[in-house]
Amino acid sequence: MARERNFEVMRTWAMFSIVIYHCMCHGIGSDYAFDLQQPVSLFNFTFSDLILVIGSIAVNLYVLVSGYFLINTKFKISRIIRTWVSALFYSVVITTTFLLLSLEPWSIVTLGKSFFPLSTDAYWFVSQYIGLLILSPFLAMLVRQLSYRQYVALLIGMGLMVLSVIPDFPLGKRFSISHGNSVWSFVYLFFIAGFIRLHLKRIPMGKLVVTVLGLALLTMVSEMVLGFHNGVGHLLWFNYNGILLFLSVAVFVFIRQQQIPETGIWNLMVKVAPYTFGVYLIHDHLLMRDWIWKTLSMTSYANQWIYALAVMVVCVLIFAICILIDTVRKRLFAILKMDDLMIRLDGRSCFSKLFT
C-alpha cells in the first residue's frame, strides 16, 4: 500500500501511545489508588487519565489507517501471511528466550503454544486484525457498490449494533463487541475509514480542533468522575468503544488533513513507522508484558513528582529498544528472502486470483 507522510506519522504516534497505555493499564493498573487529597497524587491521577484517553484511541487509529488504504487497494494474500509470520516469529523467539533464561518455568506445553500465537490469543489484536484482512476485499467490494445515502445508512445501522455509549449499553454486549476489541468493531472502523476515503470532503480545521478537544475532555472527565471513590482515584478504561471511537475518528480526520514537514522529528517518525507493528509484538507478548511491568514497578513512582517523567522515559526506552529489535528482524527476513517468498504467493494464491 502506498503511504503518505501524515499516515506514517499517525502510525508511529499511535504505537507510542499504545506503549504508554500499556504502562498505565499493566504497569499501574486499576487497583492502584491515587490519594486525591495530596497535590502530587491529584496531578499524577490527572496525567494518567489523560494518557489513558490518548492511548485508548491509538488502536482505533491503527485500524482506521488500514481501512483507509485497503478500501481502494488490490487484495494480497501476502499481507495476511506477513502479519502472521511476524507474530509467529516473536512468539517463538520470546517464549524460547524466557525458557532458556529460566525466566519462565520450563514446559513443553508453553513452548508448543508459542507456535500458535493466534489460536492461543497471545496477541488479541493480531487475531482480530487478520480476520479483518481476510474480510477486507469483500467489504471493499460491498461499499464501492453503495450510494452515498446507502453508505450512511450502513454506518448508522451497524453503529446501533456496535457502539456502546457506556460499556454494555445499549447493545454492545448482545453482539459480544461491547469493548471494541472484536473483529466486528474492526469491520465497523473499516467502513468508517472507507467512508472518509470515498465521501468525506475537507472539514474546517477550527471545527475539527473544537471537536477533538471537546470529545477528549468529555472522555477524560467521565473517566475521572467514575473512577473517584471516597477521596481516592482509580484508573478506568473503556477500551476502544463509545465516546473514544468518536474521538478516534475525529483525530484520524484531523491528522489526515495535515501537511507533515520534511524536517527533524517528523522525518524520524516516518522512518520508524514500518517497524511499529514489531513494537506491539515485542512489548505486549504475554511473557514479556509481565516481565517488563513487574521489573519496572511503576507504582513505586505513582505518588512522586517524578512520576510523569518516569512514565515518559520508560516508554521512550521501550519503544526505541523494540524498534531496534524489529530492525534486526527485518534484516534477517531480508537475508532469508522471506518477503520475496511471501510476495510470490500473491500470484499463486487462489484467494488472490478471485480479486484480479
Side-chain angles (χ1 to χ4, degrees):
M1 291 181 289
R3 295 293 188 180
E4 300 171 25
R5 288 179 62 83
N6 49 345
F7 291 102
E8 296 294 84
V9 168
M10 191 190 306
R11 283 205 294 161
T12 300
W13 174 72
M15 186 53 66
F16 180 68
S17 299
I18 289 173
V19 174
I20 300 179
Y21 175 82
H22 288 156
C23 180
M24 294 295 106
C25 61
H26 301 311
I28 303 297
S30 59
D31 293 334
Y32 189 85
F34 292 85
D35 182 2
L36 302 188
Q37 306 303 317
Q38 301 290 332
V40 61
S41 196
L42 176 61
F43 172 83
N44 290 344
F45 177 60
T46 305
F47 167 80
S48 299
D49 192 67
L50 175 62
I51 290 297
L52 279 174
V53 171
I54 295 173
S56 295
I57 69 173
V59 169
N60 289 340
L61 289 178
Y62 231 84
V63 180
L64 285 167
V65 170
S66 297
Y68 186 84
F69 286 98
L70 287 171
I71 203 74
N72 279 337
T73 304
K74 179 181 175 181
F75 174 80
K76 293 181 179 180
I77 194 72
S78 59
R79 290 196 193 100
I80 298 174
I81 297 174
R82 186 178 292 108
T83 303
W84 175 75
V85 168
S86 296
L88 175 65
F89 174 84
Y90 280 119
S91 177
V92 173
V93 168
I94 292 173
T95 301
T96 303
T97 301
F98 269 71
L99 293 175
L100 291 177
L101 296 178
S102 299
L103 296 173
E104 180 73 10
W106 171 259
S107 169
I108 192 65
V109 174
T110 300
L111 180 61
K113 284 183 176 181
S114 70
F115 287 88
F116 303 93
L118 306 188
S119 302
T120 57
D121 205 26
Y123 299 110
W124 75 265
F125 177 86
V126 179
S127 302
Q128 308 307 317
Y129 185 67
I130 286 182
L132 177 65
L133 290 178
I134 293 172
L135 293 173
S136 63
F138 304 101
L139 301 175
M141 290 172 65
L142 167 65
V143 298
R144 285 199 297 265
Q145 300 302 314
L146 299 179
S147 67
Y148 175 85
R149 289 187 176 182
Q150 289 171 331
Y151 207 152
V152 171
L154 172 66
L155 292 179
I156 294 174
M158 193 170 180
L160 294 175
M161 296 185 292
V162 172
L163 292 172
S164 290
V165 179
I166 58 176
D168 302 333
F169 179 85
L171 295 175
K173 191 174 183 178
R174 308 281 83 78
F175 294 95
S176 301
I177 48 183
S178 174
H179 303 291
N181 52 4
S182 75
V183 68
W184 304 116
S185 295
F186 284 20
V187 167
Y188 189 54
L189 289 167
F190 180 96
F191 284 148
I192 292 174
F195 183 84
I196 293 170
R197 180 71 180 265
L198 298 175
H199 297 293
L200 189 66
K201 297 180 180 179
R202 188 175 182 86
I203 298 176
M205 290 304 296
K207 291 182 179 180
L208 271 178
V209 171
V210 171
T211 301
V212 169
L213 293 179
L215 289 171
L217 183 61
L218 178 61
T219 306
M220 186 174 174
V221 170
S222 64
E223 290 192 342
M224 292 182 71
V225 170
L226 293 174
F228 178 79
H229 301 291
N230 300 321
V232 299
H234 299 269
L235 296 178
L236 297 177
W237 36 87
F238 297 150
N239 292 82
Y240 322 107
N241 207 337
I243 301 173
L244 285 167
L245 189 144
F246 292 105
L247 176 59
S248 304
V249 174
V251 171
F252 178 84
V253 174
F254 176 82
I255 299 178
R256 176 200 182 213
Q257 297 185 180
Q258 302 303 308
Q259 294 294 324
I260 304 299
E262 297 187 22
T263 57
I265 186 66
W266 304 113
N267 282 340
L268 178 61
M269 293 179 73
V270 170
K271 187 175 181 178
V272 303
Y275 307 98
T276 53
F277 191 59
V279 174
Y280 165 72
L281 294 175
I282 298 166
H283 91 278
D284 206 43
H285 181 277
L286 296 177
L287 295 178
M288 185 68 75
R289 174 206 297 173
D290 290 343
W291 179 79
I292 288 175
W293 302 120
K294 286 180 181 178
T295 301
L296 295 176
S297 186
M298 296 305 296
T299 52
S300 62
Y301 301 100
N303 281 306
Q304 301 180 27
W305 285 111
I306 199 176
Y307 170 70
L309 178 61
V311 168
M312 297 306 296
V313 169
V314 163
C315 292
V316 167
L317 287 174
I318 291 174
F319 187 83
I321 292 171
C322 290
I323 289 290
L324 291 174
I325 293 173
D326 200 54
T327 302
V328 175
R329 194 269 309 169
K330 277 187 174 288
R331 288 182 179 177
L332 175 63
F333 276 27
I335 293 172
L336 299 175
K337 299 187 182 301
M338 294 289 291
D339 285 339
D340 293 341
L341 176 61
M342 287 183 277
I343 290 173
R344 274 195 230 110
L345 294 174
D346 286 326
R348 299 180 181 181
S349 166
C350 295
F351 198 51
S352 293
K353 291 178 181 179
L354 290 173
F355 305 98
T356 57

